[in-house]
Amino acid sequence: MNRLLTAAALAVLPAQAGAAEDAAPADTQVMILGTYHFANPGRDVANIDVDDVLQPHRQREIAAIVDAIATWKPDRILVEAQRPAPDFHMESYAEYRAGDLRDNRNETVQIGYRLADRLGHANVYGFNEQASEGEPDYFPMGMVIETAEATGQSDVVQSFMTDIQAEVTAISAAQDFETIPESLLKENDLDAVRAHHAKYYYGLIPVGDGKDQAGAVLNARYYERNAKMMAKIDLIARPGERILVLVGSGHLYWLHHFVTEIPGYTYVSPNPYLIAADAMLESSD
């Protein structure tokens, strides 16, 4: 990003934090902060080689993000973890408030719990959706690979794998010179998110033969997962509140769609706050 940023970025932040553009008074304002997974659990098709976020310089970067978003004063913080209705409470947040979990690298703890504690929140909410035992897989990539082999379309899947691995390699290499706010700015670039979704999700729709339509099924099931996540946001949020949603950036396309299309919700970009966080870091150098 432009390294000419100065503390002037911070001067306008309180005005930005006051209200989302075009938000009606009763709208629920939702800031979706898409992230890569700080703890690198290895659950994606290709996984980023994540720099250790417990290093002192990374901790300063995370603290700057928390400081910046705290000025927006979210009323509730939702994280990508599955917790049961009706309260959706993250029980481990109480451990964090008691002084534990500080060496947990997960973004839920490093950003979500840290910010909630900073703001004095009593609870953090888990809104993730995962298939239970016996339920269909929400991302049946294995089925897509099998169908591609059976229908002579393995080149489509191979191109997918090659391109996404190259992208992940580039993201991993960029960690050598990017701050976490800079990395997250790219994760939350909506134009890039749309292009990524079109290439890596819609690009699989042709896999199938009209009877076995595995690529279409994968897209339908991933839509279903995100729709259920949005339904949980709706159960947790209250009209007029500010909600911070902390989630893997692969969910940003659909969650942004739902928040901008469902009446009563207004999307708030995290990008001005990430820019301000990077300005804080630069001014402290």
Side-chain angles (χ1 to χ4, degrees):
M1 63 176 291
N2 186 348
R3 302 298 292 176
L4 296 179
L5 285 170
T6 67
L10 301 179
V12 299
L13 200 48
Q16 294 169 333
E21 186 177 356
D22 299 326
D27 275 2
T28 301
Q29 298 180 40
V30 181
M31 180 187 293
I32 308 172
L33 178 59
T35 72
Y36 55 88
H37 293 303
F38 288 4
N40 196 15
R43 296 172 185 164
D44 297 323
V45 172
N47 296 280
I48 299 170
D49 184 10
V50 179
D51 200 21
D52 187 357
V53 298
L54 297 183
Q55 295 181 84
H57 73 289
R58 294 306 192 189
Q59 286 292 294
R60 288 194 297 273
E61 292 166 6
I62 292 170
I65 293 170
V66 169
D67 287 346
I69 296 178
T71 66
W72 187 59
K73 299 180 181 178
D75 297 295
R76 298 179 197 262
I77 296 172
L78 281 60
V79 297
E80 190 182 347
Q82 185 160 309
R83 303 305 307 146
D87 57 33
F88 302 98
H89 290 172
M90 296 291 294
E91 291 89 347
S92 59
Y93 175 55
E95 297 177 48
Y96 183 87
R97 300 202 83 186
D100 296 330
L101 303 181
R102 305 306 161 114
D103 59 352
N104 187 310
R105 292 169 171 81
N106 193 292
E107 62 275 7
T108 288
V109 173
Q110 290 297 318
I111 296 179
Y113 286 5
R114 187 183 301 202
L115 177 58
D117 188 47
R118 162 82 172 271
L119 296 172
H121 288 191
N123 296 299
V124 172
Y125 304 83
F127 77 111
N128 197 14
E129 174 70 22
Q130 295 285 5
S132 301
E133 186 176 353
E135 292 183 334
D137 185 357
Y138 283 129
F139 192 80
M141 192 64 197
M143 180 177 67
V144 171
I145 293 171
E146 291 176 5
T147 298
E149 291 173 349
T151 57
Q153 296 172 293
S154 293
D155 58 324
V156 176
V157 174
Q158 184 57 52
S159 176
F160 168 94
M161 294 292 190
T162 299
D163 289 352
I164 201 165
Q165 185 58 60
E167 184 175 308
V168 164
T169 298
I171 293 171
S172 298
Q175 297 214 357
D176 289 342
F177 55 86
E178 286 183 343
T179 65
I180 294 177
E182 287 175 323
S183 297
L184 294 186
L185 268 170
K186 294 196 297 188
E187 297 283 328
N188 289 275
D189 179 335
L190 291 178
D191 288 337
V193 165
R194 293 184 189 100
H196 184 278
H197 193 91
K199 183 174 184 178
Y200 294 118
Y201 288 90
Y202 294 161
L204 292 175
I205 285 179
V207 176
D209 59 6
K211 180 179 180 181
D212 179 1
Q213 295 178 281
V217 169
L218 180 145
N219 274 271
R221 289 185 183 169
Y222 195 62
Y223 174 92
E224 179 184 0
R225 179 185 175 193
N226 284 278
K228 288 180 176 179
M229 291 169 74
M230 182 64 211
K232 290 180 181 180
I233 293 174
D234 188 67
L235 288 169
I236 295 166
R238 299 291 180 268
E241 287 186 336
R242 296 176 183 174
I243 307 298
L244 173 65
V245 173
L246 184 65
V247 69
S249 57
H251 297 279
L252 183 52
Y253 178 89
W254 282 122
L255 294 182
H256 175 266
H257 166 80
F258 293 130
V259 167
T260 54
E261 293 294 329
I262 296 175
Y265 285 92
T266 297
Y267 169 73
V268 179
S269 173
N271 290 349
Y273 301 88
L274 295 172
I275 290 170
D278 208 54
M280 291 180 200
L281 294 168
E282 180 140 335
S283 66
S284 67
D285 287 343

